[in-house]
Amino acid sequence: MNKLALIIKKNFLILVKSRWLSLVVVLGPLLIIFLTGIAFDNLNEYKINIGVYSDSYTELTNSFISKLNTEQFRTIKAKSEAKCIDDAKIGFSHTCVIFPANLSLGSKNKNVAIYIDYSKLNLAWIVRDRLFSRVEEKSAEITKELTENILSKLLLTKNEILTDIVLLGLAGDNEDEISGKNNEAFLLITSINTTIGLNASDIDKLESKISSVKAAFDITIDKATGNVEFSEDIVNSGGFSESDKDDYLDELDEQKDDIEGQRQYVESLFSPAYSGSINNTLGNIKLRVIRLNLNANITDALIASSKANLYNISLMLSLNGKLINKMAFSMDNVKKNLESIDKLSAEDIASPVIADIKPLTSYNSYLNYIFPTLMAMAIMFASLLLSAIVVVMEFSTPAYFRNAISPTGNVLFFSASYLTNLSLIGLQIFIMLLISMMFFFSQVIGNILTILAVCFLTASFFIVLGMGIGYLFKKEQMSILAATFASSIFLFLSNVLTPIENMPEFFMRIAQFSPFIISVSLLRKSILFGQSLISINAEILYLVVFTLSLLAVYAAVYYRNLRR
Amino acid sequence: MRKADDDLLRIGNLAIILGGKTILENININVRDGEMLGLVGVSGAGKTSLLNSIIGYYPVARGDILYNSPRKKRLISILDKFSNFRGLFGFSAQNPSFYPELSVMENLEYFASLYNIPDDIKVQNIERALKLVKLHEHKNAIAKNLSGGMKKRLDIACAIVHFPKVLLLDEPTSDMDPLLRIQIWGLVEDINKSGTTIIVASHFLSEIEHICDRIVLIHNKRVEFEGSPKHFRNIHAKTKEIHIATRDGKYSVILKKIMDMPFLEVKRVLKKKGRIIIHSKESDNVINNAISKLLRGETNISDVEVTNPSMDMLFKLFVEK
């Protein structure tokens, strides 16, 4: 058997013969996984006590409290705000919710204060998330109620509008009729002829014409008398028998008499009395004509005004018609909009989008989700502690001196320690993988090479680091402390206790390169998501580089000390 | 007459400085092939440091250690490439150095395997070592369950399992009862007789004077004496010891009488184990005369004895000088 194998055999024999060490170091992490597995092998929430307080409880406050009082939460009414907060501080309750006094819809003070003990780390986040979701659920319920109320009002409004649209139609029809009548009236008024065709000057002209007629008559009478007298002269001087003469003269006399009679008649017509009467009549007529003309003018003005009014009415009716049309259009739009709202339920409006959180992988236990992290933790703790202890055991054993003076190089002892640790951690990994097959049989079997490679690299890094701790501190207590301290740092700078995203950016950037975080990530990807070595090669490379860097540092320190 | 070729190791002008403190300087010791060399010195004299430097565990600040290679037939420095000479030495430290959790056999198998010995020879060596240390019957016993003497024998067996040329023993009998001491010295002699050169460090000069061929006395960071125990006694044993015991344990009267004897020169008076020891350079006749005078009329004296001083006493006197 070669030397390396014999040293490894010796290491195993010592570890196996140290029963307590075997139990603590080898079985300890497995025990942790087992216990954690039992603890987390369900999907139940935590039983969380919520302290509540309000100066004055209202129906809304009580509805909130009853909403919180679910399977996951148990509400405890505190006697005062300070007591509620103190209870959360001492751990009697996990959180404290202070409702404002007289909380009601529309009240000014609607701030609900939630006091969370963030020192409880992950529990605080769970409480916060669950509590907020409960409060949000209740808020959504209230929003839904309010929305339902608004929707019923909108429905009523829609019905009113439907009636109004019909009435608007009627109003439009009436308006058309009025407009027609208005046009008729306009035409009617327009058709009114107020022309008198007679004015005072016409009467004056009549008078003058009457005078002219009399004058012309007088002239005519004079002419006719002259003509008759001329004719008598002619008859008298002409060769007419007397008889004829007489006849003619008689005739002429008669004519003369007629003319005279006419003249007299006309003269009688133009007698001052008669003429005065005519003149009076004409004057009256003239006055009446003037008055008529005045009235006609007034009527014209009134007609013009009425026409203007009718025109304005027509314009206004036209405008009104347009307005009615527009209103009808608007009403129609409102109706359509209301109809579109009417198609939505209150829930659609109150919660237009529902965020449904779905797991990337679907398992029936928290253990499935935390198993890769647990496995990484177990590998880290076991590797760091075991390798530090194995190295320190070698240092503290009485046989160390004999090893040191033997012709066997330190590199061989280092390699033997590494392989011993790797074998033991390998055994743990094997058992953990067997356990994991209960949850991820197909994933583990289907991706076994990648998972083994990830486990090997993770274990190698932490074994080499743990050995370094052992070589550095040399004393068992100090090494265990240092290994535990190192593990704690890796744990704190990881997502296990708090999300690294909560850290200051500088630390977050550093933490991203934490070998533990990389290991957890690699195990999650390989076990939960079945990713191949190629797809996770960058992170694999990180672990390889970290491990080789550690070895390089050790080699540098070793050869420097050797030269000294 | 000794030949130069008899030297297996030559330690020349060796200086050891640890943590800035000079432990030893200008150490010159020749170790002969097959001899048993005793390193003697008070606690803290640097015996263990010297042994640790010889096996390469402590660094050597100055000087050299030369090995007379039978193969190369010349002296070669083992410090130049010490890893090549680790198999040359076996070492049994003051505290046993083995795995207490493993059995005797497992320990021997393991340590044998560290010395690149072929498997068949390894088996022979283990059997031989077990026989030498007389642990054959306990080969399957867990080391931590062995008695003190057995643990020491197992430690020596681990040191010789590769049958080194030189075995270094550091205080092999410290914290042991006389019977165990005799057993261990008997074992050491047996190993020496089997041809192994032994360098044994002890501050019990009386114990090693009878088994060591030569002793090297280290004092004040350097070698103060190198030679046989007999030679050391011859040089330093110039007084006699008069051991006197009284019945009542009171010595003031007796001491006054002795001091009043003008013919007896007293070099030193010690009180040890309820009796007084008077050192004197006078001859046996003078001493006997003085004792006769002392005993005359003195009834309190229960015992008087005249002896040569022990090697331990000589060593003490040497150191105190």
Side-chain angles (χ1 to χ4, degrees), chain B residues 209 212-215 225 227-237 311 314:
Chain B
E209 72 166 308
C212 285
D213 302 309
R214 295 188 307 127
I215 57 169
F225 174 83
S228 67
K230 191 178 174 185
H231 186 209
F232 183 78
R233 181 177 284 282
N234 290 342
I235 293 171
H236 298 287
M311 283 293 267
L314 291 176

Side-chain angles (χ1 to χ4, degrees), chain B residues 123-157:
Chain B
V123 172
Q124 289 173 21
N125 278 7
I126 290 168
E127 284 296 315
R128 210 173 131 201
L130 280 172
K131 274 183 187 165
L132 261 174
V133 300
K134 298 182 176 62
L135 280 176
H136 209 278
E137 289 176 7
H138 303 279
K139 65 180 181 184
N140 294 321
I142 299 299
K144 65 182 174 187
N145 298 333
L146 296 173
S147 67
M150 285 178 176
K151 280 178 184 166
K152 192 67 199 173
R153 281 190 274 157
L154 172 59
D155 189 53
I156 292 170

Side-chain angles (χ1 to χ4, degrees), chain A residues 40 45-46 48 94 116-130 370 373 377 491-492 494-500 502:
Chain A
F40 287 93
E45 299 288 347
Y46 301 91
I48 293 164
H94 294 92
I116 290 172
D117 182 5
Y118 278 100
S119 66
K120 288 179 180 169
L121 297 171
N122 275 350
L123 184 63
W125 295 104
I126 290 167
V127 169
R128 199 189 77 155
D129 291 346
R130 301 288 187 276
I370 64 169
T373 308
M377 273 174 65
L491 210 58
F492 289 137
S494 75
N495 280 318
V496 175
L497 296 177
T498 52
I500 59 167
N502 283 356

Side-chain angles (χ1 to χ4, degrees), chain A residues 245-466:
Chain A
K245 196 179 174 179
D246 289 337
D247 289 331
Y248 285 138
L249 286 169
D250 287 340
E251 193 69 34
L252 285 168
D253 284 341
E254 281 176 16
Q255 284 292 322
K256 248 176 124 172
D257 290 340
D258 285 342
I259 292 167
E260 189 58 27
Q262 288 293 319
R263 193 189 56 82
Q264 284 178 355
Y265 174 71
V266 169
E267 281 294 329
S268 69
L269 285 174
F270 288 96
S271 67
Y274 200 78
S275 172
S277 171
I278 289 168
N279 282 339
N280 280 341
T281 302
L282 283 173
N284 285 334
I285 289 167
K286 190 179 175 183
L287 281 172
R288 283 174 191 265
V289 166
I290 288 168
R291 198 172 289 158
L292 274 171
N293 277 330
L294 274 170
N295 285 339
N297 286 339
I298 289 166
T299 304
D300 280 344
L302 287 171
I303 286 167
S305 172
S306 294
K307 277 171 73 178
N309 286 338
L310 284 171
Y311 182 71
N312 284 339
I313 287 167
S314 172
L315 283 177
M316 285 171 76
L317 281 170
S318 172
L319 194 63
N320 278 351
K322 285 177 183 172
L323 286 173
I324 286 167
N325 285 338
K326 195 173 180 185
M327 199 181 287
F329 183 74
S330 297
M331 287 281 198
D332 196 47
N333 280 343
V334 171
K335 187 194 81 175
K336 283 175 183 168
N337 288 338
L338 286 174
E339 278 172 352
S340 68
I341 291 169
D342 193 26
K343 287 170 189 167
L344 295 172
S345 67
E347 201 170 333
D348 291 338
I349 297 166
S351 307
V353 176
I354 295 170
D356 189 11
I357 297 169
K358 290 187 175 177
L360 288 172
T361 50
S362 178
Y363 299 111
N364 56 4
S365 165
Y366 280 130
L367 185 62
N368 297 82
Y369 298 108
I370 64 169
F371 191 84
T373 308
L374 276 178
M375 196 163 163
M377 273 174 65
I379 293 173
M380 177 181 73
F381 272 105
S383 300
L384 278 173
L385 285 169
L386 179 72
S387 51
I389 286 171
V390 165
V391 168
V392 171
M393 270 173 58
E394 204 53 55
F395 270 121
S396 57
T397 182
Y400 171 71
F401 177 73
R402 194 165 298 290
N403 285 329
I405 62 171
S406 73
T408 301
N410 286 325
V411 174
L412 196 71
F413 281 113
F414 184 94
S415 306
S417 289
Y418 166 76
L419 290 172
T420 304
N421 291 319
L422 191 66
S423 307
L424 286 167
I425 301 298
L427 178 70
Q428 288 189 7
I429 289 169
F430 175 72
I431 296 169
M432 283 189 277
L433 286 176
L434 277 183
I435 295 169
S436 72
M437 283 188 192
M438 290 164 65
F439 316 105
F440 322 96
F441 182 81
S442 58
Q443 289 96 323
V444 170
I445 291 295
N447 206 18
I448 189 72
L449 287 176
T450 306
I451 293 168
L452 285 177
V454 168
C455 289
F456 165 73
L457 288 170
T458 303
S460 289
F461 174 79
F462 288 112
I463 285 170
V464 171
L465 183 63

